[in-house]
Amino acid sequence: CSFSFISSWLPQSVPLRGKHWQTSLLAFRASLPMRAQPKKKKKVDVRKEQAQKDRMKKKIKKLEKAAPEMIPIEDFVTPLKYSDGNRVRSLPSLSFEETERRVLLMKKWSLFKLKQDKAEKNAIQALVEAQQEALEELRLESEELYQAAIRRDKGLFPFERDGPNYTPPLPGYDPPEGKCIDITKVYTQ
Amino acid sequence: TAAAPRPWRLFGAMCLLRLPRITQPLEKEEEEMAALMGQIELEKSHYSDHEIRKLGEEEQLRKRRESTSDDDRAPSKTVIMARDLEEKWEQKLLRFEAAPRITDADKNNNRTSLNRRLDSNLMLLVKQKIGNQELWLLPQVEWQPGETLRSTAERAMAMFLGDRIQAKILGNAPYGIYKYKFPRAIRTEDNVGAKVFFFKAFLQSSDLSQAELKEDCLWVTKDELGDYLKSEYLKKVNRFLLD
């Protein structure tokens, strides 16, 4: 019977089915209510078990040789229920003035962002210059302090900080109870 | 050859910043752009499940109102409509009160509290006696041989805010320097002037009730620094401060 095969092939680490009515692996054959066949000769059993083991090994080798399946990226696949036509939003089409306004606003925005970026870069440049000056003065003072100052600070990174929110935290706020159940599908290769 | 002892005294100063806790108000262009982006997103989107349910129910209601003979299909079971759900959510939102962005400390202009101006950086200023003058400065302390300048700055911070202050110092290198010569009366061959090296740190703990505040300290923003610092000192400090 296949049950005896599994227990003899795999080491104790695998939980066997029906373990609840099996006390220990050593007292296995005594406690197990063996059904059907009376005791066969040992040679035939051994040969059969060997053959079964080989078959299982061959199957495992075949599976391992096959290329691993690609894990589907769920974000790139639109579910079918969103592809029928009744979901299309019906809004009045844009007037000429509206499109003009949008184009002009985009241009103003790109200019605004350009200025912001330049200002940021200049500020960083100024910071770096100030630091270089400070380091030069320090070097003039003492070489030892300078070497200590340009050493890398290992405790600085990784630097974590919770970003600013729209409102400050409410003191004594009791958030509503609830459990978040994660239903993301996990694929294994 | 041993270097001749330099005539400059070294000081380590710490610029302790409390980072902003709320977002800064948006500029006009940013607000317009945000509105436009929202509109475009709405136009390019499809109906969601909730909206389809709502539309279906509106249709049903309309049909029921028009066809008055269909009274046998009167709603015997109470069905929750999408419209009612939306109203319930609106009510819940209105009942919630968020903390105000402009705190009491803002209104009183209480410069010693940390709860002021939550949208900008706050810096620590202390009153120290330099020579024979009491000046408002970033906390500084003289360097002692045997320690790095960074530990000098840490000592300065601990001196004014107590030991149990949690701050993340940004690196071993100084950010700025202020050099000044002593007035002629005190100047000697060996003691021409002083160099103050500034270090920057971010305040990690949000409440300082456990810290023992010695002497007077203030928390000010970059634009308010001009009220307290001398012009030369202010110029050097402004160089390494981002807005």
Side-chain angles (χ1 to χ4, degrees), chain B residues 20-237:
Chain B
R21 265 191 239 139
I22 56 179
T23 49
Q24 289 178 331
L26 296 174
E27 312 257 332
K28 189 168 73 90
E29 286 99 339
E30 287 181 318
E31 280 193 27
E32 284 175 16
M33 200 59 190
L36 178 63
M37 287 285 117
Q39 235 175 322
I40 292 180
E41 193 179 318
L42 188 70
E43 282 162 17
K44 288 195 174 172
S45 69
H46 287 216
Y47 286 128
S48 64
D49 290 339
H50 176 85
E51 287 193 308
I52 288 200
R53 176 179 161 184
K54 197 166 151 195
L55 286 173
E57 282 167 10
E58 305 273 290
E59 269 296 311
Q60 268 185 6
L61 261 185
R62 207 169 45 83
K63 274 190 201 160
R64 205 170 289 158
R65 247 174 242 153
E66 280 172 10
S67 56
T68 48
S69 57
D70 271 350
D71 268 344
D72 50 358
R73 268 197 295 124
S76 51
K77 45 185 172 136
T78 47
V79 176
I80 302 178
M81 309 255 286
R83 239 191 347 192
D84 304 330
L85 274 178
E86 277 191 9
E87 273 177 30
K88 212 166 70 166
W89 296 334
E90 270 292 324
Q91 292 295 318
K92 205 168 172 189
L93 178 66
L94 289 172
R95 265 180 285 160
F96 174 73
E97 254 193 58
R101 282 167 63 102
I102 304 179
T103 57
D104 293 333
D106 267 331
K107 294 180 196 147
N108 302 338
N109 201 7
N110 176 14
R111 294 199 172 175
T112 53
S113 106
L114 266 183
N115 278 337
R116 195 175 72 96
R117 293 290 293 269
L118 292 170
D119 62 347
S120 42
N121 289 335
L122 284 185
M123 263 153 289
L124 180 67
L125 277 186
V126 285
K127 209 165 199 172
Q128 278 186 286
K129 198 160 163 122
I130 304 284
N132 50 2
Q133 282 178 317
E134 287 256 340
L135 296 171
W136 282 108
L137 305 166
L138 297 176
Q140 72 185 43
V141 120
E142 179 144 17
W143 172 76
Q144 274 154 16
E147 60 175 5
T148 56
L149 274 172
R150 177 180 159 155
S151 25
T152 320
E154 284 172 0
R155 201 158 51 90
M157 199 168 59
M159 206 167 83
F160 290 97
L161 290 177
D163 271 340
R164 275 177 296 165
I165 194 83
Q166 289 164 16
K168 184 106 184 182
I169 305 187
L170 305 175
N172 288 326
Y175 275 76
I177 176 164
Y178 175 58
K179 217 162 63 168
Y180 67 99
K181 291 194 172 159
F182 294 137
R184 285 192 190 275
I186 338 176
R187 214 184 291 182
T188 62
E189 265 305 313
D190 291 336
N191 219 355
V192 169
K195 287 190 183 178
V196 187
F197 290 95
F198 297 102
F199 287 80
K200 248 190 186 177
F202 289 155
L203 189 64
Q204 304 277 76
S205 55
S206 49
D207 78 300
L208 291 176
S209 48
Q210 286 172 336
E212 312 102 47
L213 291 156
K214 302 167 188 159
E215 293 145 55
D216 0 274
C217 352
L218 289 186
W219 294 93
V220 288
T221 55
K222 187 176 173 194
D223 25 341
E224 291 160 7
L225 277 180
D227 302 338
Y228 299 94
L229 301 180
K230 302 226 155 159
S231 62
E232 279 298 318
Y233 191 79
L234 179 67
K235 259 202 304 196
K236 295 287 181 171
V237 167

Side-chain angles (χ1 to χ4, degrees), chain A residues 81 87-90 102 105-106 109 131 133-134 137-138 141 149 151 153 155 161 165-166 168 170, chain B residues 19-23 32 42-43 45-47 49 51 100-101 149-150 168 172 174 177 179 195 239:
Chain A
K81 74 167 178 171
R87 290 232 181 206
V88 176
R89 207 177 276 272
S90 58
R102 284 188 183 186
L105 184 59
M106 294 284 211
W109 175 251
Q131 191 168 53
E133 228 185 74
E137 294 275 341
L138 184 57
E141 279 303 305
R151 219 175 291 150
D153 184 10
R161 173 180 127 77
N165 305 312
Y166 186 66
L170 202 56
Chain B
L19 294 168
R21 265 191 239 139
I22 56 179
T23 49
E32 284 175 16
L42 188 70
E43 282 162 17
S45 69
H46 287 216
Y47 286 128
D49 290 339
E51 287 193 308
R101 282 167 63 102
L149 274 172
R150 177 180 159 155
K168 184 106 184 182
N172 288 326
I177 176 164
K179 217 162 63 168
K195 287 190 183 178
R239 286 188 73 191

